[in-house]
Amino acid sequence: MRKIYEISKTELQTLFYSPIAWLIIIIFVFQISLAFTSALDMRVTQMMLGYRTPMLTQDLFANPAGGLLFNVQNYLYLYIPLLTMGLMSRELSSGSIKLLYSSPVTNTQIILGKYFSMLVYALILIAIVGIYVIFGCCVIENVEWRWLLTGMLGLYLLICTYAAIGLFMSSLTAYQVVAAIGTLAILAVLNYVKMMWQDIEFVRDITYWFSMSGRSTSFLYGFIGSEDVLYFLIVILLFLSLTIVRLQACRQKATWTTSISKYVVIFVITVALGYITSRPVMKSYYDATTTKANTLTPNSQKVIEQMDGGLTITTYVNLFDEVGQSIAFPRFVNMDMSRFSHYLRFKPEIKLKYVYYYDSIYNPSLEQRFPNMTTQERAERLMELYKVNRKLFLKPGEVDKLVDLSGEGKRFVRELVRDNGERTFLRIFNDFEKLPSEAEITAAFKRITMKLPVVGFLGGHGERSIKEDNNRSYSAFVNYKSFRPALINQGFDVEEVTLEKPLPAHIRILVIADPLQKFTEEEQRNLEQYIERGDNLVIATEPKRRDITSSLLERFGVKFVPGILANSGEYSNLTQSRPMIGVKDISELYLLDGLRRWGAVVSMPDAVGLEYSTDKGFHVTELLATDSLSWNELQTTDFMNEEQKATFDSNRGEEQRRHVTGLVLTRNVGEKEQKITILGDADCLSNGELSSARRGVRASNFTLVQSLFFWLSDGEVPIDVRRPVFPDNNLLIGGDDMGWISVVFQWLLPCFVLIFAIVIWLRRRGR
C-alpha cells in the first residue's frame, strides 16, 4: 500500500505542476458558475414577479435543461480524457516506464497508484461542486439535501469510471492525443452500445447492460439502484484489469495468445457479474427524495403486496399495427422492459414475454402504401424493410391458439396473467403519451388481484348506451379502449342491466342516463329496493325528459328549475358549470378541486337547473354550478335557430342567477355510506361532448368522470397516484443579492483558482 501511495503522490505532483489540470479546474469553475447563477437569477426573478417556484432543488441542480449537476455531467465527457491521456502514455513516450519495470513494484501497484491519483482529482472536482451545493442548501428553504448528495455520488462514480477507461487507453499508446481520442471513442461506444445488436436475443442483454447511458442520470434524480452502483464498480475493475494485463504483456513479453486468453477471461467474468447483478431479485434501491418521487405510490405498493403468486405480462405485437413497432419490436425489448422496473422492484418474480405475429387489421394507410398485395406478401415486405427475423412472427391464426385478441382489434396489447388464472388486458391509448401510466398499470394489477366495483348501466327505456354503435352512446368514458380515462381502463367492470328483476348484489354503482320512457311499477319497486340496500347511484337527465325523471328525483328532495339554462355568450345553450366542491367538503373528489383551481369547467349543453331540500334524510352538497350571468330560458326551445335567439326576460319569470347543475347526496345505510350523484345534463358524459373543443371554453369533462367514479367506488379506482408536494419552493434571497452572488461565483472564485495555480507554478519554477 505504501508503494501505491508513493506512485499516486508522484502522479498528483506531476499533474498539478502542469497547466492542463489547473486549466481544466478554472474552466470547470467558470462554466458551472455561469450556469448556476443564470438559473438562480431566473428563479429569483420569477419569485419577485409573484410566480410559484416549486421544486427548486430539482430546478437548480437536477434539471436536464440547465441544472447544475446535469451540466457537470455533460462537461466531464470532455475533461477526463484530457486528464488521463498522459497517465501511461507519458511513461511510454519518455522511456521512464523502464525505470518502473526495473523498480521493485508490481504492475498492479503501478496501475492502482496511477488510478488513485485520478480518484483524488475526482474528489477535488466533486468538492468544487459541493461549494454550489452548500450554497444551495443555504438559500433554498427545505432543500432536498439527500437528493443532492446522491447526485454528487453519481458524478463521482462517473468520473472514476471515465478515469479507468482513460487509464487503459493511455496504456495502449505512447501518443497522448491518440489516447485521448481513444478514450472518447470508448465512451461513445459505451453510451450507444445499448442500441447495437438488439435484434439478437442472445446478445442484446449483454450490450444493453454494458451501456453507460443513463447510469448516472438516475443518481441525479435522487435514486440509487444497486445495479447502477455495481455497474460502475464492475466496469472500473474491468478496465483496471485490462490495463494490468496490458502492462504484464509489455513487461514480460507475453505471447499474444496468452494476452488474448486473459482478456477473454476478464470479459467473461465481467459479463457474468453484470448478468447476476442485473437480475431483479438481486437489486436493492434507495430513493433519496423526501416525497419518494422515484418510487411507486403507496396505493400501488398496497396492490402489489396483495398479489400472491407469480405474474406474467405478455406483450402481443402485430406487424401490421405500426404503433407497437416503436415500443416493443425486438430492438426495443430491453427499453420496454425498463418501463416496468418500478413494479419489478416490489415484485421481482414478474415475467415479461413478447409474442410477435402478423394478421389483418384495420389500417387504411398500410393498404394504400402496399396495394394489391396478399397478407403474406405484405408481411414479408414489412419484415424486409424493418430488418427483423421472420422466424419470430406467428402466421395468421397461430396467435389465436394462445389468446383471443379479437376484442382488442388485434392491435398492440399486453395480457396480464396470474398463476391462479386471473387475467386482464393492459392497453396503449390514443393520446400524446400513448403508454399507460402508473394509474392504468396498477388498475390492471388491482383488477386481477381483488374484487372491484361493478358499474351497471340501466337499459330498457332508451337510456344512453355503452355500445359504440349507438348514437346516444356513453362508450367513450365507459369501454372505449383507446381512451385513457375510460372506466374499463381504470379498473372498473361494466354491465348493462334492467329493472325487470331485482339488481344483482355485485352491482355497486348504478347509472341511469336520460331514460326516454317511464318506469313500470315493478321497475320502480326494484329500483327502490336497490336504493334501500345502500348502493350508489348516478342520475343524469335532460330538460326535455324532465317529466320522466321528476318523480324519481322527488325521492331525493330534488326538483327541476323551469326552462333550459342559457347565457348571452357565443354558445347560448352551453352551460359552463364550475366545480363547487373543495377538499374540505369531500376529499375523494380531489380531481374536481384541482379542476377548479386550474380554471377549467364542465361543459353541459342544454342543461337544466336543480333545486333541492334536505328533508329526505340525505346530506346534500352542491357539485356543479353556473356563474351568476346564466338564466333559465323559458321561451326558446331551438337554440340553433337564430330567429329564436335566447334573450333574458325577467317579465316572463326568467331568473338570472347562479344555478346548480350537479348535486351529490350522502347518507348512512347500515355500516356503509350511500352516495348519489344527480346531473342536470346527460350530454356532458357523452362521446360527442368528451371529444368537443370550443373556442374560449376550457372544458375537462373527463375529469368529472374520473372524480365521480373514484368517489362512488369509495376510492378503489381510478388509482390515486397523488404524491406529496415538494417542500422546497422558496428562496431565502432576493433580487438585490444576485449582484454579489454573480460576482463571487463568476469572477472571484475562478480568479482565486487562477491565482492559486500561478503561485504553485511559480514555486515549481523556483525549485
Side-chain angles (χ1 to χ4, degrees):
M1 192 65 188
R2 179 68 180 178
K3 294 177 180 179
I4 294 175
Y5 170 75
E6 292 296 336
I7 295 173
S8 178
K9 179 181 177 182
T10 302
E11 187 64 37
L12 283 172
Q13 289 175 342
T14 304
L15 185 65
F16 281 103
Y17 287 148
S18 67
I20 185 67
W22 290 108
L23 184 61
I24 287 175
I25 290 178
I26 294 170
I27 296 175
F28 181 73
V29 170
F30 181 76
Q31 283 184 316
I32 62 177
S33 293
L34 186 62
F36 179 72
T37 53
S38 297
L40 184 63
D41 183 53
M42 185 181 300
R43 301 304 169 264
V44 170
T45 302
Q46 288 179 345
M47 187 177 66
M48 294 179 65
L49 289 172
Y51 292 106
R52 295 176 62 249
T53 53
M55 301 176 64
L56 285 169
T57 304
Q58 179 178 4
D59 207 14
L60 293 175
F61 291 95
N63 184 355
L68 177 70
L69 298 180
F70 274 92
N71 281 327
V72 172
Q73 179 182 248
N74 296 333
Y75 300 151
L76 295 177
Y77 189 81
L78 295 175
Y79 293 158
I80 303 306
L82 296 176
L83 285 169
T84 59
M85 65 182 182
L87 287 176
M88 292 301 300
S89 297
R90 184 173 59 251
E91 307 285 357
L92 295 173
S93 62
S94 65
S96 59
I97 189 65
K98 296 179 181 179
L99 296 176
L100 286 173
Y101 287 163
S102 61
S103 61
V105 292
T106 64
N107 298 318
T108 302
Q109 290 172 336
I110 295 172
I111 298 306
L112 291 181
K114 298 278 188 179
Y115 183 67
F116 283 174
S117 67
M118 288 295 98
L119 298 187
V120 174
Y121 192 91
L123 281 175
I124 294 173
L125 294 179
I126 295 301
I128 293 172
V129 175
I131 296 174
Y132 301 86
V133 169
I134 293 173
F135 180 79
C137 292
C138 295
V139 300
I140 300 175
E141 189 175 4
N142 300 317
V143 68
E144 296 275 334
W145 61 270
R146 295 182 184 87
W147 183 346
L148 296 177
L149 291 179
T150 300
M152 292 171 67
L153 173 63
L155 292 177
Y156 184 71
L157 290 174
L158 184 66
I159 298 173
C160 295
T161 306
Y162 283 178
I165 297 171
L167 178 58
F168 171 67
M169 294 306 301
S170 181
S171 69
L172 297 179
T173 176
Y175 300 98
Q176 295 187 26
V177 175
V178 175
I181 295 174
T183 302
L184 289 173
I186 294 294
L187 295 180
V189 170
L190 288 178
N191 274 282
Y192 294 104
V193 71
K194 67 175 1 175
M195 303 304 297
M196 299 170 62
W197 305 303
Q198 290 296 294
D199 291 334
I200 307 173
E201 186 173 359
F202 175 75
V203 179
R204 67 180 172 215
D205 287 342
I206 298 175
T207 58
Y208 194 85
W209 178 85
F210 261 111
S211 176
M212 196 182 297
S213 176
R215 294 288 185 177
S216 59
T217 302
S218 60
F219 289 85
L220 304 190
Y221 284 127
F223 184 73
I224 301 176
S226 61
E227 181 186 6
D228 293 328
V229 174
L230 292 173
Y231 168 83
F232 285 121
L233 297 179
I234 292 171
V235 172
I236 289 171
L237 291 175
L238 166 65
F239 282 97
L240 290 181
S241 300
L242 294 177
T243 309
I244 293 172
V245 170
R246 166 64 180 170
L247 212 59
Q248 288 175 344
C250 296
R251 190 172 189 175
Q252 300 171 2
K253 303 299 181 182
T255 62
W256 68 270
T257 54
T258 303
S259 299
I260 291 295
S261 61
K262 291 181 180 179
Y263 291 145
V264 171
V265 170
I266 293 172
F267 182 80
V268 170
I269 294 175
T270 300
V271 171
L273 290 174
Y275 178 81
I276 294 171
T277 57
S278 64
R279 297 307 91 193
V281 295
M282 299 296 294
K283 296 179 182 179
S284 58
Y285 308 88
Y286 173 69
D287 191 342
T289 61
T290 56
T291 63
K292 303 304 175 186
N294 301 299
T295 306
L296 291 177
T297 56
N299 287 332
S300 294
Q301 294 181 40
K302 290 178 183 177
V303 172
I304 296 176
E305 288 174 2
Q306 299 180 52
M307 185 182 292
D308 300 326
L311 172 68
T312 301
I313 302 177
T314 305
T315 302
Y316 293 94
V317 185
N318 190 343
L319 178 66
F320 294 152
D321 182 13
E322 297 177 286
V323 174
Q325 293 168 2
S326 60
I327 300 175
F329 250 33
R331 65 177 67 95
F332 303 119
V333 162
N334 281 309
M335 191 178 301
D336 186 62
M337 287 182 174
S338 66
R339 297 185 175 108
F340 294 93
S341 59
H342 291 309
Y343 289 89
L344 289 169
R345 171 180 173 182
F346 295 96
K347 193 172 180 63
E349 62 269 27
I350 294 177
K351 298 178 182 177
L352 300 172
K353 296 183 178 180
Y354 293 82
V355 174
Y356 302 95
Y357 69 100
Y358 63 91
D359 206 343
S360 298
I361 61 171
Y362 178 72
N363 190 344
S365 173
L366 187 64
E367 295 177 1
Q368 184 179 13
R369 286 180 283 125
F370 300 97
N372 304 321
M373 284 187 179
T374 64
T375 300
Q376 178 72 25
E377 293 172 341
R378 192 171 290 148
E380 291 179 354
R381 180 59 175 160
L382 288 177
M383 292 176 194
E384 179 183 355
L385 293 173
Y386 289 124
K387 299 178 182 179
V388 292
N389 188 353
R390 301 184 180 186
K391 296 180 180 180
L392 290 176
F393 289 83
L394 300 177
K395 297 180 180 179
E398 293 180 347
V399 73
D400 298 333
K401 300 176 183 179
L402 303 176
V403 63
D404 182 12
L405 298 177
S406 57
E408 302 297 322
K410 295 196 172 181
R411 296 192 175 276
F412 180 93
V413 72
R414 306 185 202 267
E415 187 185 32
L416 282 60
V417 183
R418 292 183 63 193
D419 288 350
N420 62 6
E422 293 289 335
R423 60 184 63 211
T424 190
F425 286 111
L426 180 63
R427 305 170 182 88
I428 59 175
F429 308 108
N430 188 24
D431 55 24
F432 181 75
E433 294 182 11
K434 291 190 180 298
L435 295 168
S437 67
E438 180 184 338
E440 289 77 46
I441 297 174
T442 302
F445 279 29
K446 196 168 187 176
R447 168 175 269 159
I448 57 178
T449 303
M450 59 194 74
K451 291 184 179 180
L452 293 178
V454 178
V455 183
F457 283 79
L458 188 63
H461 314 89
E463 290 92 345
R464 302 292 176 100
S465 173
I466 60 175
K467 296 180 180 178
E468 297 183 19
D469 58 351
N470 192 300
N471 291 331
R472 305 179 73 248
S473 176
Y474 271 3
S475 65
F477 89 83
V478 179
N479 58 11
Y480 194 64
K481 294 174 181 176
S482 63
F483 185 50
R484 186 183 298 270
L487 298 183
I488 194 173
N489 294 322
Q490 297 298 327
F492 290 95
D493 286 323
V494 296
E495 293 182 13
E496 283 193 315
V497 296
T498 65
L499 290 173
E500 295 176 354
K501 55 183 179 180
L503 292 173
H506 66 270
I507 300 295
R508 290 172 48 190
I509 303 172
L510 178 66
V511 179
I512 303 176
D514 190 22
L516 302 181
Q517 303 169 7
K518 291 186 176 182
F519 299 164
T520 65
E521 292 184 3
E522 182 179 0
E523 289 174 333
Q524 289 178 353
R525 285 195 299 269
N526 291 333
L527 178 60
E528 183 65 23
Q529 180 185 359
Y530 174 84
I531 295 172
E532 287 302 314
R533 78 189 194 193
D535 285 319
N536 300 335
L537 179 66
V538 177
I539 302 175
T541 188
E542 288 286 313
K544 296 178 181 179
R545 258 79 69 182
R546 69 179 68 218
D547 57 329
I548 297 174
T549 54
S550 58
S551 59
L552 175 61
L553 296 188
E554 289 176 2
R555 166 74 172 76
F556 307 106
V558 179
K559 63 180 182 179
F560 297 115
V561 175
I564 303 175
L565 296 183
N567 62 80
S568 58
E570 180 179 355
Y571 311 102
S572 57
N573 71 319
L574 181 69
T575 301
Q576 299 185 39
S577 297
R578 303 183 184 278
M580 304 304 296
I581 282 185
V583 176
K584 293 182 180 179
D585 298 314
I586 300 179
S587 60
E588 292 91 341
L589 288 164
Y590 68 92
L591 286 172
L592 274 188
D593 185 63
L595 186 146
R596 180 179 62 177
R597 286 186 280 107
W598 300 330
V601 299
V602 175
S603 58
M604 306 179 77
D606 297 331
V608 61
L610 303 174
E611 295 179 338
Y612 61 91
S613 63
T614 57
D615 57 355
K616 298 294 184 178
F618 291 91
H619 175 71
V620 184
T621 305
E622 295 180 0
L623 176 69
L624 300 168
T626 68
D627 57 28
S628 59
L629 299 179
S630 299
W631 70 86
N632 57 320
E633 176 65 34
L634 298 174
Q635 305 171 70
T636 303
T637 57
D638 184 6
F639 285 87
M640 302 302 295
N641 189 343
E642 294 186 1
E643 296 181 359
Q644 297 186 18
K645 186 176 180 179
T647 55
F648 173 65
D649 188 351
S650 59
N651 295 325
R652 295 181 177 271
E654 297 175 354
E655 295 182 81
Q656 190 173 35
R657 59 178 175 83
R658 184 179 71 90
H659 290 84
V660 177
T661 56
L663 295 169
V664 292
L665 295 76
T666 59
R667 69 171 180 174
N668 292 324
V669 179
E671 296 181 354
K672 60 183 177 182
E673 182 184 39
Q674 185 177 39
K675 302 174 180 180
I676 296 172
T677 302
I678 300 174
L679 299 175
D681 176 59
D683 289 330
C684 65
L685 306 179
S686 66
N687 290 354
E689 198 58 33
L690 288 173
S691 59
S692 294
R694 298 180 180 87
R695 183 178 56 189
V697 179
R698 294 186 61 189
S700 184
N701 287 31
F702 67 86
T703 304
L704 172 66
V705 173
Q706 288 186 297
S707 185
L708 274 182
F709 282 89
F710 179 81
W711 177 62
L712 293 167
S713 69
D714 300 323
E716 292 286 344
V717 280
I719 305 297
D720 182 2
V721 293
R722 286 179 295 172
R723 299 179 184 274
V725 178
F726 279 95
D728 54 335
N729 53 16
N730 184 42
L731 285 169
L732 302 178
I733 57 175
D736 296 336
D737 299 311
M738 283 308 302
W740 67 264
I741 291 174
S742 298
V743 170
V744 169
F745 282 110
Q746 293 184 18
W747 300 106
L748 294 184
L749 189 57
C751 289
F752 172 78
V753 177
L754 176 60
I755 294 171
F756 188 73
I758 292 174
V759 170
I760 296 295
W761 181 72
L762 290 176
R763 289 186 61 186
R764 174 63 175 172
R765 288 199 60 180
R767 292 178 182 177

